[in-house]
Amino acid sequence: MTDTTEINRLHAEKMARVKAAKDRLIAGKTIEKGLLMVHTGPGKGKSTAGFGLMLRHLGYGRPVGLVRFIKATDETGEIMALKRFGDLFTYHTAGEGFTWETQDRERDIACARRGWELGQTLMADPDFGLVVLDELNIALRYDYLPVDEIVAGLTARRPDLHVLVTGRNAKPELIEAADLVTEMTNIKHHFRAGVRAQAGIEF
Amino acid sequence: MTDTTEINRLHAEKMARVKAAKDRLIAGKTIEKGLLMVHTGPGKGKSTAGFGLMLRHLGYGRPVGLVRFIKATDETGEIMALKRFGDLFTYHTAGEGFTWETQDRERDIACARRGWELGQTLMADPDFGLVVLDELNIALRYDYLPVDEIVAGLTARRPDLHVLVTGRNAKPELIEAADLVTEMTNIKHHFRAGVRAQAGIEF
């Protein structure tokens, strides 16, 4: 028996055990429900993964809704691409730029309130399978919206609706209420090496 | 002067300082280049953020290419959605399932080799702005492909091509060569609460 044959035999045995363990795990997972998801942390990928989730929904012909709480421009690649899905994609922008762009706390608060109202309208519409509240965490972090009210509203959504909240510094109350929380961590970022934001990557 | 007025004034001053600092930072970032990006870690969002990046590229009408090294099915929401972009989206699947599904090391190695050849073909085609090598890290982790050869091939790509490699357990050699590395960390995962994989979320 060659070494390779032996390696392959041990591999097949090990993988059969791994598969049996995975199958047992999967068999134990039977619940279907609309998830409250949070993408947080300082790393790149929070909103980007949100657009991937929207794409996944759109592939099944399920309508998705998006409220952007902070960024204002409509000319980003992801929005232009999502517009190709026509009526399946509903989009509102509630922000007028990052809070250090506006420098106007009262206006930021009014924008955040408007964003939450738009988000609630989307969440109340039974057509939508997924509602993404992009950068809502920023509005919560600056206390532009009271976290208790928002968490209560998110928790009271209909049972089959998926909602994703993105943005750094997710509040503990939101993490507590969520089904899924992924933290995007920077191991390495090209901005640190002097690379600028580029179309197709950052916007 | 009311408390609110004072809070708003201090906020505006602070945000003006933040904006000045951000503007200085952005002014220092002038490099444009094709990035080598890695999404790794145990958390959800690695491939999902890859689909978001593809969407972002597609919005500008830039062709994107995808090689899936592990998953075999074409019936996922993201693939069905991306097919709507017609010729702008090129897709190859090289894997026959996770390595614990096939239980056949020789076949997994042959699949990984085929995936890398397909990836190299996409990378050599000047039409593509972004090539995603989904789950390549799994093939590297199991030494189905030699990391030195792969890193050399990725590093030798043309200067304006963006490449994304996804999958857990990214090899240190790949992290070293990359421009961006995001680690997706699980703070909380619904699988642990007995929720099953659902269409539009996991596939």
Side-chain angles (χ1 to χ4, degrees):
Chain A
M1 188 180 278
T2 66
D3 279 359
T4 306
T5 311
E6 178 64 5
I7 286 168
N8 290 346
R9 192 185 61 75
L10 290 172
H11 175 87
E13 278 183 14
K14 183 181 167 190
M15 289 303 129
R17 286 195 303 275
V18 170
K19 175 159 170 55
K22 299 254 178 205
D23 286 348
R24 274 195 304 277
L25 264 174
I26 290 167
K29 296 183 203 314
T30 53
I31 301 166
E32 290 196 27
K33 62 173 289 200
L35 301 172
L36 177 55
M37 298 171 280
V38 177
H39 293 171
T40 192
K44 178 165 167 55
K46 299 181 289 293
S47 300
T48 316
F51 293 115
L53 275 183
M54 280 188 262
L55 195 68
R56 207 163 258 168
H57 257 72
L58 291 166
Y60 297 103
R62 294 184 193 164
V64 299
L66 167 67
V67 179
R68 288 197 133 165
F69 279 77
I70 302 291
K71 290 164 193 161
T73 175
D74 283 7
E75 304 298 307
T76 56
E78 60 271 25
I79 299 297
M80 292 190 287
L82 288 167
K83 282 181 176 168
R84 292 213 190 184
F85 292 88
D87 287 347
L88 291 178
F89 173 59
T90 301
Y91 168 57
H92 300 293
T93 180
E96 300 187 5
F98 280 98
T99 190
W100 53 85
E101 296 287 347
T102 65
Q103 300 172 25
D104 183 334
R105 191 167 168 273
E106 294 288 326
R107 203 166 72 183
D108 286 348
I109 289 172
C111 281
R113 175 56 60 186
R114 186 173 135 71
W116 176 239
E117 283 162 7
L118 290 164
Q120 282 184 301
T121 305
L122 294 180
M123 287 165 62
D125 184 336
D127 280 352
F128 290 100
L130 170 69
V131 171
V132 176
L133 304 172
D134 189 48
E135 305 286 9
L136 172 57
N137 283 336
I138 309 283
L140 291 170
R141 182 210 178 164
Y142 285 104
D143 294 319
Y144 292 167
L145 294 168
V147 67
D148 291 347
E149 178 195 343
I150 305 308
V151 168
L154 293 170
T155 307
R157 75 193 182 281
R158 57 168 216 275
D160 61 339
L161 175 67
H162 301 288
V163 176
L164 170 66
V165 175
T166 76
R168 294 178 183 221
N169 301 107
K171 290 248 178 182
E173 295 90 335
L174 178 62
I175 290 174
E176 175 63 30
D179 298 294
L180 170 80
V181 182
T182 303
E183 183 171 72
M184 277 66 172
T185 308
N186 271 326
I187 303 294
K188 207 171 188 182
H189 201 297
H190 48 282
F191 285 174
R192 290 205 172 252
V195 179
R196 54 175 291 180
Q198 298 176 91
I201 301 295
E202 272 82 19
F203 55 87
Chain B
M1 188 180 278
T2 67
D3 279 358
T4 305
T5 311
E6 179 63 6
I7 287 169
N8 290 344
R9 193 185 61 75
L10 290 171
H11 175 88
E13 278 184 16
K14 183 181 166 188
M15 290 302 129
R17 288 195 301 274
V18 171
K19 176 162 168 52
K22 299 254 177 204
D23 286 348
R24 275 195 304 276
L25 264 174
I26 290 168
K29 296 181 204 316
T30 53
I31 302 166
E32 289 197 27
K33 62 173 288 200
L35 301 172
L36 176 56
M37 297 171 280
V38 177
H39 293 171
T40 192
K44 179 165 167 55
K46 300 180 288 293
S47 299
T48 317
F51 294 114
L53 275 182
M54 280 189 262
L55 195 69
R56 207 163 256 167
H57 258 72
L58 291 166
Y60 297 103
R62 295 184 193 163
V64 299
L66 167 67
V67 179
R68 287 196 133 167
F69 278 78
I70 302 290
K71 290 165 193 158
T73 175
D74 283 8
E75 303 298 307
T76 57
E78 60 272 25
I79 299 297
M80 292 189 288
L82 287 167
K83 282 182 176 168
R84 292 213 192 183
F85 291 89
D87 287 347
L88 290 178
F89 173 59
T90 301
Y91 168 57
H92 300 293
T93 180
E96 300 186 6
F98 279 98
T99 188
W100 54 83
E101 296 287 347
T102 66
Q103 301 171 23
D104 183 333
R105 193 167 167 273
E106 293 290 326
R107 202 166 73 182
D108 286 349
I109 289 173
C111 282
R113 175 55 59 187
R114 185 173 139 72
W116 176 238
E117 282 162 8
L118 290 164
Q120 282 185 301
T121 305
L122 295 179
M123 288 166 61
D125 183 336
D127 280 351
F128 291 100
L130 170 69
V131 172
V132 176
L133 304 173
D134 189 48
E135 306 286 9
L136 172 57
N137 283 336
I138 308 282
L140 292 171
R141 181 210 179 164
Y142 284 103
D143 295 319
Y144 293 166
L145 295 168
V147 67
D148 291 348
E149 177 195 343
I150 305 308
V151 168
L154 293 170
T155 308
R157 75 193 182 283
R158 58 169 215 274
D160 61 341
L161 176 66
H162 301 288
V163 176
L164 170 67
V165 176
T166 76
R168 296 178 182 220
N169 302 105
K171 290 246 178 183
E173 294 90 334
L174 178 62
I175 291 174
E176 175 63 31
D179 299 293
L180 170 80
V181 182
T182 303
E183 183 172 71
M184 277 63 172
T185 308
N186 270 325
I187 303 293
K188 206 171 189 181
H189 201 296
H190 48 280
F191 285 175
R192 289 205 172 253
V195 179
R196 54 174 289 178
Q198 297 176 92
I201 300 295
E202 273 82 20
F203 55 86

